[in-house]
Amino acid sequence: MTTERNLQSNSPAQAEQSNYTFTDTSGKQITLDIPIQTAIIINRNTAEAIKLLGADDRVAATGDATIKNNPYLGFQSLPDVGETGQLNLETILSLKPQAVFTYTNRPDRKLEEKLEPAGIKVVRMNNYLPDQTDSEWELLGKLFGKEERAAQFLEWKHGIERISAERIQSIGENDKKSVMALSAGFLNSDGGYRIFPSQSLGGKPGVGEGFATILAGGKDAADLQWNPAETSTTIMVDEEYVLTRNPDVITLHGTWLGGYEAADVQPLEDAFANMLSISSLNRLKAGKNRDVYFFHTNFIGSDKRYIGVLQLAKWLYPDRFADVDPEAYAREYFEQWLGVPYQGIWYYSFKECK
């Protein structure tokens, strides 16, 4: 579906503001005048959602390495208020935004204590966890006066999600491939294993990188549960745990390889060779068969998960997805929704590129 951006409609100057009370993802009740006219975004996933909505002209500054990891959003000329753990509060206060958007679990509530006495509301949402993204998108559409745009995008996204869901539903449990989602950086740095769990406490959907396994028709080789209150999205395990679980497939995740500005696959191959040399990867079924796949975090553990899931499903069950081209959806996302050229390396198969 093609949807043209229209930054003129519902612009701050044209829209009539109204008082609106809502509950953010952290469970906090907030009252704001909407549509929001100025905001600072210290959650890069939310920054991308606002760009896609066509409300990027309301953004006064960003943080959370948005400029580094999401350069295609075009926020380079705006102030960078820092990482979530080291924010420049003076800059935030000087810009006098109506709201600051951040994650539910970071920074801590001292942010509210510092900003809200100055009339700046702190809105907490994640825009990367699979059980939250749709409702957060709908809320952002409301807050920025872009409800129609949000609804159109969700319709497009759900259509892609249905492709995966419909084609994997007939796979029997015994026929599903076991998958372990690992931190590429940790494996590459010291040969250690940090796992992205597919479940959260209480059996709810887990971290995006791990839950993608389930959405793609695989089964989690690990039996771990993530605590959403933790700032880390991985759980460290020892070598024996991984060897015992012995997954059919390994997915590697991170932001330090690939991405929008990457054009050469050699750094990925070099990193994989290093992982093989310093870890026990070669002792696993996945390593022996090179059933190992890299995903940039943005494309399977974050806001573009549905495209990465489709690619993972195609790698897990190629016969079922022979006629599906995930790359076409990736291109459509960048060019028709974000309005920027499609480029970069977002996922990579070490099996197909021996």
Side-chain angles (χ1 to χ4, degrees):
M1 182 180 75
T2 302
T3 304
E4 297 295 329
R5 288 185 64 201
N6 184 359
L7 293 179
Q8 299 303 314
S9 64
N10 290 326
S11 68
Q14 295 173 325
E16 182 178 342
Q17 286 198 300
S18 62
N19 207 243
Y20 181 61
T21 299
F22 62 96
T23 301
D24 71 4
T25 307
S26 73
K28 180 177 60 177
Q29 191 173 81
I30 301 169
T31 299
L32 274 171
D33 288 334
I34 62 168
I36 290 174
Q37 299 185 43
T38 58
I40 289 176
I41 318 300
I42 51 176
N43 172 337
R44 66 188 184 89
N45 307 108
T46 301
E48 181 145 343
I50 291 171
K51 166 76 172 181
L52 199 152
L53 284 173
D56 45 311
D57 57 340
R58 325 280 181 86
V59 177
T62 65
D64 183 43
T66 298
I67 294 171
K68 175 185 176 183
N69 291 321
N70 302 61
Y72 49 86
L73 298 181
F75 293 130
Q76 286 86 341
S77 63
L78 300 180
D80 185 337
V81 298
E83 300 283 351
T84 52
Q86 294 180 316
L87 291 173
N88 188 329
L89 292 174
E90 291 77 12
T91 299
I92 294 175
L93 289 165
S94 71
L95 291 169
K96 299 179 180 179
Q98 192 177 347
V100 169
F101 286 80
T102 189
Y103 295 95
T104 59
N105 61 354
R106 65 186 189 275
D108 61 26
R109 297 291 170 169
K110 291 179 182 177
L111 189 64
E112 281 87 342
E113 295 173 12
K114 298 288 187 181
L115 298 183
E116 295 198 342
I120 301 171
K121 298 298 177 69
V122 176
V123 182
R124 293 182 178 269
M125 57 172 58
N126 296 309
N127 279 295
Y128 73 90
L129 293 174
D131 59 334
Q132 299 173 354
T133 50
D134 284 8
S135 59
E136 288 173 335
W137 256 95
E138 291 170 351
L139 176 58
L140 282 173
K142 179 72 174 177
L143 294 179
F144 285 90
K146 299 287 187 178
E147 295 99 323
E148 183 178 355
R149 174 77 169 178
Q152 290 171 340
F153 175 73
L154 287 173
E155 181 182 0
W156 179 79
K157 169 179 173 283
H158 294 160
I160 298 172
E161 290 171 334
R162 282 194 294 270
I163 297 172
S164 300
E166 290 171 357
R167 297 191 185 205
I168 66 172
Q169 63 182 352
S170 61
I171 302 175
E173 194 64 25
N174 293 334
D175 295 324
K176 291 182 177 180
K177 294 185 178 180
S178 65
V179 182
M180 186 172 286
L182 299 174
S183 164
F186 197 66
L187 186 59
N188 184 67
S189 62
D190 65 1
Y193 297 98
R194 296 194 72 96
I195 293 175
F196 294 94
S198 66
Q199 283 191 352
S200 294
L201 296 178
K204 294 181 179 179
V207 179
E209 291 91 335
F211 192 61
T213 291
I214 310 303
L215 296 175
K219 55 186 177 183
D220 193 350
D223 61 350
L224 307 173
Q225 291 188 330
W226 177 63
N227 182 355
E230 297 290 332
T231 56
S232 175
T233 54
T234 59
I235 297 175
M236 187 165 63
V237 298
D238 58 26
E239 179 183 73
E240 187 59 33
Y241 179 88
V242 177
L243 291 173
T244 300
R245 293 284 164 174
N246 198 18
D248 299 319
V249 173
I250 285 175
T251 56
L252 299 172
H253 308 271
T255 57
W256 60 282
L257 284 170
Y260 190 70
E261 296 177 335
D264 185 3
V265 300
Q266 193 58 49
L268 284 92
E269 284 288 352
D270 292 345
F272 185 59
N274 180 59
M275 294 174 198
L276 290 172
S277 69
I278 68 172
S279 76
S280 54
L281 203 56
N282 265 330
R283 296 168 62 189
L284 301 170
K285 283 187 292 185
K288 293 175 183 177
N289 298 326
R290 285 184 69 109
D291 283 319
V292 182
Y293 308 103
F294 169 78
F295 288 91
H296 190 280
T297 296
N298 286 16
F299 253 78
I300 204 164
S302 190
D303 40 60
K304 293 174 278 296
R305 171 181 303 104
Y306 46 95
I307 302 174
V309 163
L310 193 61
Q311 180 61 68
L312 177 56
K314 181 165 184 167
W315 278 331
L316 293 179
Y317 311 107
D319 292 344
R320 290 175 179 260
F321 292 87
D323 62 326
V324 176
D325 181 11
E327 191 84 352
Y329 294 109
R331 183 176 299 279
E332 187 173 356
Y333 175 84
F334 278 91
E335 296 183 353
Q336 297 186 19
W337 287 102
L338 286 181
V340 299
Y342 175 59
Q343 63 181 55
I345 298 173
W346 299 103
Y347 33 81
Y348 186 72
S349 168
F350 296 105
K351 185 179 184 68
E352 297 173 0
C353 303
K354 292 182 179 179

